[in-house]
Amino acid sequence: LPDSLVHVALSRIQLWFMNPFQKLQETLAALLITKQIVGNFSEILGPTIISWAKVYLLKRNNNLTQDNKSSEKLSQVETESEKPRYESSFDDYLEMFIQVEKS
């Protein structure tokens, strides 16, 4: 009987030490994956949604200012003229360099 109690106690101690590290590993993996997914979605969807909102507001303002004219689709030139000016590709290359260095 005492041997079985010692065995049970040792197995409980082993589970207590091993289990938190396994939980930590699973939690860190879940956090890493979630952070990457959220980061990718925010990096892709954020500017897209903002661009769509600007086009929608531009169309709405254009329709409000027109008197009884049929709603016209904005030309590509008008749409692109509302976007911010693209300065240079230096920041893009810098970001790619930093991402390569991190991995």
Side-chain angles (χ1 to χ4, degrees):
L1 184 68
D3 288 337
S4 64
L5 288 176
V6 170
H7 179 68
V8 168
L10 287 177
S11 66
R12 297 281 181 176
I13 290 172
Q14 184 181 11
L15 285 175
W16 185 79
F17 279 113
M18 298 296 275
N19 199 14
F21 291 116
Q22 184 178 2
K23 286 182 181 178
L24 178 64
Q25 182 182 9
E26 291 173 359
T27 304
L28 289 175
L31 287 173
L32 176 68
I33 293 168
T34 304
K35 184 178 178 182
Q36 286 181 346
I37 290 172
V38 169
N40 287 339
F41 274 122
S42 65
E43 194 171 312
I44 294 169
L45 292 179
T48 304
I49 291 173
I50 290 172
S51 176
W52 287 345
K54 285 182 179 179
V55 169
Y56 171 76
L57 292 174
L58 184 62
K59 284 182 182 180
R60 190 179 73 174
N61 290 340
N62 193 18
N63 286 339
L64 291 176
T65 57
Q66 290 179 348
D67 296 329
N68 296 335
K69 288 186 179 179
S70 63
S71 63
E72 298 175 11
K73 186 176 180 180
L74 292 176
S75 70
Q76 184 176 0
V77 174
E78 291 173 328
T79 306
E80 290 179 1
S81 68
E82 295 297 320
K83 292 184 179 182
R85 186 172 182 268
Y86 190 77
E87 295 298 326
S88 72
S89 59
F90 177 76
D91 292 332
D92 296 334
Y93 287 117
L94 181 63
E95 183 177 347
M96 288 191 301
F97 177 75
I98 291 171
Q99 289 177 359
V100 167
E101 289 296 316
K102 285 183 179 179
S103 37

